[in-house]
Amino acid sequence: VGVVMGLADWELKSITAYRELEQFVYNDFSGNPTTSVFTNDPLDLTHDQFSQEVQLVGSNADSSFTYAAGLFYFTEEGHEVALDQLPLFGVLLPRDVTAENEARAVYAELGWTPGGTSDWSFIVGGRYSEDEREADNAIDPRADESYSNFSPSVTVKYSVNDDVNLYGKISSGYKSGGFNLRATFFTQSFDEETLISYELGWKTELMERRVRFNGALFYMDYDDLQLNVLVPNQPNPTLTQTQNAGAAEISGLETDLTVALSQNLTASVSYGYLNTDVVEVEGDDADLWDLANSPKHSMTANLGWKIAELEAGLLQFDADYSWRDDSSTASRATTGSEIKAHGMANVRLSLAGQDWFGKGDFTVAAWVRNMTDEEYLTDTFGSFSGIHANQIGAYGLPRTYGIDLNYRF
């Protein structure tokens, strides 16, 4: 829920959100129809969360100074009841865990453009965060930890002309510590993870704004990297421990190009390059580690065609294609954790209009997703390779098609 009010030079915004989830799952990772090897039965989860943010943005009379400031609050509670069963080993591992998290933050940003018209702009900002983590597994004593962090940022912008803008940014960030609810030593917490990020980028609009070309080069330096380590010498392939055991570096490039081929036809492509390097792992060879779910190359392509303006509304055709390189779901090299490179194509035909029945906005759309019926994995469990299989994985959706009906009033 969002509420906005303000005057010419300032705006006050309130954003309130609530989410509730119930999940009841049966998982069988046996990979065959006859012998039960590993199951989650049951695996029941309830979760609810609430957040509230208040934000003030504005500027002075000549817009030489701009500002943004806000307060943020977040709370959540989750409860999981599960039974991990390994019949081949005669092992039953019950789990009854509750987690409660609370986060508070205050942030501010001040921008300065000399005289309100200079080609140069300077922005400084910062965010102070406090996090509280509590966890209970109905066996060990209830555990709780608190974390805090201040993350500053500095941005410099330069307008080459009306069509070309450059910027550089240095920022810091942090990821709160907490507890691994599946760890052998449940009450052993892990600390926060921090990073410093450097970014150089450009934003352009060329050829009378028919071409838009944006991009950024970035480098990130992680410290106290949180790594999930499979607990050795035990049969449960999902039992992990989280440790602040590493340092890592990420560098890369992101670009996107949009071209108005005609008044009614628009094409766009984007490309991302990602180079990840775990440079230090406490007690292990860093060369055996990588950042999970980090494909080196990825790209997307889109085509939008406004076919006709009809009495009922706009008839439009959209096609898109996305592709991602090989990646791994495990931080440490493990047989069976690989996800092969794959691509997917989708199409959509829509009719959008207003006041079909007196008021409101209407959209009717027919679509096909994964047109070529590509077979691909979304997740893998390579840790099962020492038990009975080289890889246990979850496949993505096959070719699907449907119709959407939307009405807004």
Side-chain angles (χ1 to χ4, degrees):
V1 177
V3 178
V4 180
M5 61 181 181
L7 297 175
D9 297 330
W10 63 270
E11 180 180 272
L12 183 65
K13 180 186 298 184
S14 173
I15 304 172
T16 306
Y18 176 77
R19 181 174 183 258
E20 188 172 306
L21 169 69
E22 291 185 354
Q23 178 178 287
F24 306 99
V25 177
Y26 167 76
N27 286 327
D28 187 343
F29 300 104
S30 303
N32 70 84
T34 58
T35 304
S36 182
V37 179
F38 182 88
T39 64
N40 301 130
D41 183 19
L43 177 56
D44 299 341
L45 173 68
T46 60
H47 175 267
D48 62 81
Q49 66 181 45
F50 169 82
S51 65
Q52 174 64 53
E53 183 172 3
V54 178
Q55 185 181 84
L56 176 67
V57 296
S59 63
N60 64 346
D62 65 358
S63 297
S64 58
F65 286 96
T66 59
Y67 58 86
L71 300 171
F72 177 77
Y73 175 77
F74 173 85
T75 182
E76 66 176 345
E77 181 175 355
H79 183 209
E80 181 183 270
V81 177
L83 180 61
D84 296 342
Q85 303 186 39
L86 293 91
L88 290 182
F89 300 91
V91 175
L92 298 177
L93 299 170
R95 189 166 64 251
D96 185 349
V97 295
T98 301
E100 298 180 17
N101 301 324
E102 190 174 38
R104 296 172 295 273
V106 56
Y107 58 89
E109 184 178 88
L110 178 65
W112 176 47
T113 302
T117 58
S118 174
D119 294 332
W120 291 91
S121 296
F122 307 90
I123 303 171
V124 294
R127 180 186 180 100
Y128 176 75
S129 304
E130 292 183 347
D131 293 273
E132 296 180 3
R133 300 285 186 260
E134 296 185 11
D136 186 356
N137 68 353
I139 299 175
D140 298 305
R142 188 177 183 86
D144 63 88
E145 288 286 351
S146 298
Y147 308 90
S148 63
N149 174 268
F150 175 69
S151 300
S153 66
V154 177
T155 305
V156 177
K157 298 181 179 181
Y158 177 65
S159 178
V160 179
N161 52 46
D162 291 340
D163 299 324
V164 179
N165 293 276
L166 308 176
Y167 71 90
K169 183 176 183 179
I170 302 175
S171 60
S172 59
Y174 109 116
K175 181 180 179 181
S176 174
F179 302 92
N180 184 335
L181 301 183
R182 296 185 178 184
T184 306
F185 304 103
F186 174 80
T187 58
Q188 180 180 325
S189 63
F190 53 90
D191 291 330
E192 61 265 28
E193 173 183 294
T194 60
L195 71 84
I196 298 179
S197 172
Y198 306 86
E199 183 176 347
L200 293 173
W202 63 92
K203 298 180 182 293
T204 68
E205 290 186 333
L206 310 171
M207 299 178 65
E208 298 181 344
R209 300 194 172 182
R210 292 194 300 271
V211 176
R212 180 182 299 133
F213 179 50
N214 301 330
L217 298 164
F218 57 87
Y219 170 80
M220 301 178 184
D221 186 3
Y222 283 84
D223 196 18
D224 292 326
L225 186 67
Q226 297 169 0
L227 296 175
N228 288 320
V229 181
L230 182 68
V231 178
N233 304 318
Q234 54 82 39
N236 188 347
T238 67
L239 193 60
T240 61
Q241 293 179 177
T242 305
Q243 306 177 106
N244 295 92
E249 298 174 352
I250 299 176
S251 57
L253 164 72
E254 293 180 345
T255 62
D256 63 84
L257 173 67
T258 301
V259 180
L261 301 174
S262 69
Q263 186 174 355
N264 297 317
L265 191 63
T266 302
S268 63
V269 294
S270 67
Y271 168 75
Y273 170 78
L274 197 63
N275 180 59
T276 63
D277 184 19
V278 177
V279 296
E280 178 185 347
V281 176
E282 184 179 319
D284 202 355
D285 183 358
D287 291 338
L288 299 176
W289 292 77
D290 202 350
L291 297 183
N293 301 307
S294 303
K296 185 175 287 290
H297 304 279
S298 60
M299 62 85 64
T300 65
N302 300 272
L303 181 69
W305 176 26
K306 297 179 181 178
I307 301 173
E309 285 278 5
L310 306 176
E311 183 177 350
L314 174 63
L315 182 64
Q316 179 160 329
F317 172 79
D318 293 282
D320 66 82
Y321 178 79
S322 61
W323 179 89
R324 55 179 288 161
D325 206 352
D326 296 338
S327 62
S328 173
T329 59
S331 297
R332 195 180 192 277
T334 304
T335 301
S337 63
E338 307 87 0
I339 292 183
K340 297 297 184 181
H342 59 275
M344 190 183 310
N346 312 300
V347 293
R348 185 174 187 264
L349 181 66
S350 63
L351 178 64
Q354 296 179 328
D355 304 329
W356 287 2
F357 302 103
K359 65 176 182 179
D361 298 332
F362 294 84
T363 303
V364 178
W367 48 264
V368 181
R369 297 170 186 157
N370 192 5
M371 284 185 59
T372 59
D373 204 20
E374 178 85 5
E375 189 176 275
Y376 64 98
L377 291 168
T378 60
D379 199 3
T380 63
F381 302 88
S383 54
F384 281 83
S385 60
I387 299 176
H388 76 295
N390 290 327
Q391 185 178 59
I392 299 292
Y395 283 93
L397 290 175
R399 181 191 298 117
T400 58
Y401 50 88
I403 296 175
D404 292 338
L405 303 174
N406 294 304
Y407 171 51
R408 295 182 180 180
F409 59 94

